[in-house]
Structures are given as structure tokens and as C-alpha cells.
């Protein structure tokens, strides 16, 4: 009992640090609930935060309300689990068979929830879905639900960081003129954090929407959404961990290709130090993920002899990056232009303000990105 009380106290304190309770709806969190509902094919989806007395819904699809009593909450059980919580049929589960939400309308049956944890591992809420019939999730759906919970944590951290920086800015404005440059820098960082928070979820929503249009079956859809959102999440974590709006291109490339490098020798990565801003980092990470995924399925990485060269240059303000595959099976041009190809040619190029070319040469796929960009490298 003492341990449980201490745990709840720590959880309440962690939740209070984010100042999320009773806040209005926000697109960044609404998008997460919508994605959970679509990917898991569930009529009800929530992004919820559990305090001492209730379950507050920061975002909801199909629930029609913003909170529920703690006594009827499914999520109070999910936050106690280390992994994904799945309840196939609540009417047969001793913990829920007498729950009013199960016995009476809406007569909930299925529940799946992934805990939203603070960076130090304290669970404060869930991204969850409900259904009115007994069922379960497949592997891709479960993985996506956990990934969305990580995205919720990222949004909370960005939101908190922005609030702290705005508070610091407010205090700095009271200082003497000698602090004016420091104040301007704080303001710039705050704007960048706000812009990054808005754009990151906008990119997630665009990925999901376009993938849904292009996919021909549910399994392919779920796998594509999971891997693309995962690539984006890895890039976001690099930006957050470095605490700056710029990331060295080599770090961005290494992180993006990490899941596709089971052994050394498959990639030849080279180029000078170049600092990428947050949007360039996200765009490049997503683009390299698409190229590596395609190479693993059909190209150079699908054979043991295959090899990929990733090289970049920047001279006189002109930036260029090349991806070249060799040693794989003979390449045939696709009969239809998928979202991956469109993403490479349009989205990645747009984030660099340049142009991109994707060629399906018989000897191996070749991608080239070019742009006129100012150097963001720190002055020595």
C-alpha cells in the first residue's frame, strides 16, 4: 500500500509538470487519436491523461466527451503495465465485467492501450482504442499504437520546453540592454520549437493520408504507416536530444540508416560536416528511409553482394547528395508511381528548397538531391 501511494504521488507530480489537464483540444493530439482510430480500425480512440480522480481526454474520436470517472477508466490498469495492454473481451475479464461502460451503453468490449511515459519512465496516460465487439490487434497495429504513444510524449516535451522558454523570455525582457541579444536568441528558439511542434504532426498526418490512398490492402497500409512514422520519430528524437534547431548531416544519415545496417560494409557514407535545420533533417530522414526500405525489398540490400554509396558535397553554396546502389538484382522501372517515389521527388526536395531526381537504372537505383542553400555551419 505504501509503495502504491508513493507511485501515485510520483505519477501525479509528473503529470502536473506538463500542465495538460483541462486544456483545449489541439490538432497535434487530435491527429494522434485519428491515426489510432484509422490504423486500428476502431470506432473509439483516445489520448488520455489519468489524474487522481478522473481520466482526462486531451483528444477523442467517437467518445463524445472530454473525461470519465477514474472508477470506470480502463486506462488506470494500462498505466500499470510495461507493455501494450490488450483486453479482447471486457465482459469476460473480472476487472471490467461489472464496469458500467461494459454492462450498460455503450457496452464496450475490446480495449487496447499503450502507456504514455515521461522520459524517466513514469506512466501518465495512454493512447488507446475501443471497440463494441470482441477482437484483438495484429502486430503492426500494436506497434503503431506504441509509436503513437511515443509521439504523444514528444508533443508533451515540446509543449513543456516551449512554455519554459517563453517563461525564460518573459524574465529576460526585464533585464538591462546588455541582455538584449540573449533575449532575441531565446525568442528565436521558442519560435523554432513552436514551428517544429506544429509541423511534425502535420507531416505525420500527411504521411498517413497519402499512404492510405496508395495502399491496396490493410496489411501493407499498416506496415507502411508504422515504418514511415517510426523513421520520422527517430529524426525527432535526434533533434530533441541535441537541444538545437540544427543537426550535422552525418548524424541524420546514420540515424536514418541505422535499422537497415545489420552489418558493416553495406554502406559507404562520406561527405563534409554540414548543419541541417529541423525541416531538412526530417525530410532527409524520411527520404533515406524510403530508399533503404525499397533497397531491402527489391534493390542492393536484398542480396548479400549489394552495396550503397551515400555521399554529399557543398561548394560555393551548392548542396548535392547522392544515393547509388550496385551489386543488386537488375532494376526495372515501376509501372505505377507510388507515394514513396512522390515523397522522394517532391517532399524531400521541397524541404531543401531544391530539386530531386530518382532514376531506376538497370545497375541500381540512383537518387540525387540538389539545392542552393546557405551554410548553417557554426563559425569556428
Amino acid at each position: 500500500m505504501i509503495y502504491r501511494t508513493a507511485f501515485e504521488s510520483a505519477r501525479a507530480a509528473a503529470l502536473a509538470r506538463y500542465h495538460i489537464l483541462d486544456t483545449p483540444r489541439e490538432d497535434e493530439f487530435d491527429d494522434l487519436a485519428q491515426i489510432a482510430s484509422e490504423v486500428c480500425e476502431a470506432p473509439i480512440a483516445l489520448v488520455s491523461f489519468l489524474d487522481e480522480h478522473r481520466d482526462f481526454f486531451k483528444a477523442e474520436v467517437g467518445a463524445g466527451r472530454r473525461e470519465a470517472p477514474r472508477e470506470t477508466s480502463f486506462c488506470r490498469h494500462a498505466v500499470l503495465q510495461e507493455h501494450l495492454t490488450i483486453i479482447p473481451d471486457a465482459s469476460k475479464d473480472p476487472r471490467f465485467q461489472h464496469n458500467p461502460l461494459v454492462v450498460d451503453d455503450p457496452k464496450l468490449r475490446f480495449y487496447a492501450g499503450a502507456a504514455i511515459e515521461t522520459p524517466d519512465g513514469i506512466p501518465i496516460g495512454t493512447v488507446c482504442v475501443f471497440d463494441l465487439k470482441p477482437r484483438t490487434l495484429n502486430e503492426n497495429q500494436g506497434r503503431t499504437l506504441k509509436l503513437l504513444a511515443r509521439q504523444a510524449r514528444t508533443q508533451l516535451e515540446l509543449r513543456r520546453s516551449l512554455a519554459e522558454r517563453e517563461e525564460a523570455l518573459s524574465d529576460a525582457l526585464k533585464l538591462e540592454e546588455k541582455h538584449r541579444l540573449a533575449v532575441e536568441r531565446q525568442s528565436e528558439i521558442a519560435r523554432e520549437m513552436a514551428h517544429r511542434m506544429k509541423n511534425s504532426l502535420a507531416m505525420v498526418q500527411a504521411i498517413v493520408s497519402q499512404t492510405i490512398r496508395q495502399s491496396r490492402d490493410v496489411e501493407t497500409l499498416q506496415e507502411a504507416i508504422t515504418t514511415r512514422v517510426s523513421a520520422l520519430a527517430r529524426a525527432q528524437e535526434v533533434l530533441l536530444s541535441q537541444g538545437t534547431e540544427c543537426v550535422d548531416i552525418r548524424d541524420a544519415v546514420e540515424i536514418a540508416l541505422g535499422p537497415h545496417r545489420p552489418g558493416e560494409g553495406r554502406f559507404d557514407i562520406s561527405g563534409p560536416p554540414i548543419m541541417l535545420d529541423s525541416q531538412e533533417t526530417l525530410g532527409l530522414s524520411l527520404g533515406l528511409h524510403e530508399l533503404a526500405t525499397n533497397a531491402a525489398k527489391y534493390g542492393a540490400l536484398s542480396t548479400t553482394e549489394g552495396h550503397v554509396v551515400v555521399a554529399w558535397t557543398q561548394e560555393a553554396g551548392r548542396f548535392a547528395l547522392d544515393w547509388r546502389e550496385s551489386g543488386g538484382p537488375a532494376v526495372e522501372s515501376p509501372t505505377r508511381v507510388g507515394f514513396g517515389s512522390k515523397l522522394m521527388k517532391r517532399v524531400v526536395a521541397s524541404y531543401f528548397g531544391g530539386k530531386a531526381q530518382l532514376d531506376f537504372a538497370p545497375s541500381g537505383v540512383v537518387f540525387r538531391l540538389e539545392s542552393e542553400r546557405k551554410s548553417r555551419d557554426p563559425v569556428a
Side-chain angles (χ1 to χ4, degrees):
M1 181 63 71
I2 294 176
Y3 170 80
R4 186 178 184 86
T5 301
F7 172 77
E8 285 299 328
S9 297
R11 223 175 49 73
L15 180 59
R17 289 199 296 268
Y18 292 102
H19 301 287
I20 194 71
L21 297 177
D22 296 315
T23 55
R25 298 186 70 143
E26 299 176 52
D27 290 344
E28 292 79 14
F29 292 95
D30 285 344
D31 288 345
L32 294 179
Q34 188 63 46
I35 293 170
S37 175
E38 291 177 0
V39 172
C40 296
E41 302 175 276
I44 301 172
L46 306 173
V47 178
S48 71
F49 297 97
L50 191 69
D51 73 1
E52 296 176 346
H53 306 292
R54 59 180 173 147
D55 201 356
F56 171 68
F57 306 156
K58 178 61 178 174
E60 59 84 16
V61 172
R65 55 179 175 170
R66 297 296 307 282
E67 64 177 54
R70 182 185 175 98
E71 292 73 22
T72 63
S73 172
F74 282 60
C75 296
R76 68 190 177 100
H77 297 276
V79 296
L80 301 176
Q81 306 298 317
E82 294 184 3
H83 305 292
L84 185 69
T85 298
I86 296 180
I87 302 168
D89 188 348
S91 68
K92 297 180 180 179
D93 191 308
R95 296 171 295 175
F96 304 101
Q97 59 188 187
H98 300 299
N99 189 307
L101 299 177
V102 176
V103 177
D104 303 320
D105 289 335
K107 296 185 178 180
L108 300 176
R109 291 295 180 266
F110 168 74
Y111 170 85
I116 301 170
E117 296 184 344
T118 64
D120 51 352
I122 299 176
I124 57 175
T126 66
V127 175
C128 61
V129 293
F130 293 87
D131 208 332
L132 306 183
K133 59 186 179 182
R135 47 168 294 201
T136 189
L137 296 181
N138 62 38
E139 182 178 350
N140 284 327
Q141 290 171 324
R143 189 164 59 246
T144 299
L145 206 58
K146 289 189 286 187
L147 195 59
L148 292 174
R150 284 174 52 194
Q151 284 288 323
R153 183 185 73 180
T154 298
Q155 290 304 310
L156 285 175
E157 286 295 310
L158 286 169
R159 199 176 182 277
R160 183 172 67 86
S161 179
L162 178 60
E164 290 175 352
R165 292 181 186 277
E166 288 179 341
E167 182 178 355
L169 174 60
S170 177
D171 293 340
L173 288 171
K174 301 174 185 178
L175 299 177
E176 299 176 3
E177 180 61 21
K178 66 179 181 179
H179 296 297
R180 182 177 62 83
L181 293 178
V183 171
E184 291 178 355
R185 179 58 177 161
Q186 288 287 337
S187 179
E188 179 184 343
I189 293 174
R191 287 194 298 270
E192 172 63 26
M193 293 295 289
H195 179 71
R196 191 185 300 170
M197 184 169 69
K198 297 289 184 182
N199 281 358
S200 64
L201 259 294
M203 183 181 284
V204 171
Q205 185 64 24
I207 289 171
V208 172
S209 299
Q210 291 296 326
T211 304
I212 289 174
R213 292 196 190 101
Q214 295 286 329
S215 297
R216 288 170 287 183
D217 59 79
V218 173
E219 184 176 352
T220 301
L221 165 65
Q222 292 164 350
E223 180 181 2
I225 288 176
T226 298
T227 58
R228 285 168 176 162
V229 173
S230 181
L232 187 59
R234 289 194 298 273
Q236 289 172 330
E237 289 178 354
V238 173
L239 291 166
L240 283 172
S241 66
Q242 300 209 2
T244 177
E245 65 270 27
C246 293
V247 172
D248 187 272
I249 187 172
R250 178 172 287 274
D251 291 339
V253 171
E254 294 280 358
I255 292 296
L257 297 181
H260 307 280
R261 301 177 68 178
E264 295 300 323
R266 306 300 300 278
F267 288 90
D268 182 4
I269 300 173
S270 63
I274 298 175
M275 301 307 289
L276 305 181
D277 65 26
S278 61
Q279 294 308 298
E280 291 171 333
T281 301
L282 294 176
L284 181 62
S285 297
L286 197 56
L288 291 177
H289 162 75
E290 292 294 325
L291 288 167
T293 299
N294 185 75
K297 290 182 178 180
Y298 313 109
L301 301 182
S302 67
T303 67
T304 57
E305 296 81 14
H307 186 73
V308 177
V309 173
V310 183
W312 60 88
T313 59
Q314 179 158 304
E315 298 178 359
R318 186 171 185 82
F319 170 78
L321 179 141
D322 292 289
W323 168 287
R324 295 183 178 275
E325 297 181 28
S326 61
V331 175
E332 297 182 2
S333 296
T335 57
R336 58 188 290 269
V337 180
F339 174 54
S341 295
K342 293 179 181 178
L343 185 148
M344 298 303 304
K345 293 181 180 179
R346 301 177 187 174
V347 177
V348 177
S350 70
Y351 278 111
F352 280 80
K355 60 181 180 179
Q357 182 65 40
L358 181 63
D359 294 322
F360 294 91
S363 58
V365 171
V366 177
F367 172 75
R368 183 172 180 83
L369 171 65
E370 297 178 320
S371 76
E372 300 286 345
R373 63 188 297 278
K374 294 181 180 179
S375 174
R376 298 180 179 84
D377 298 352
V379 178

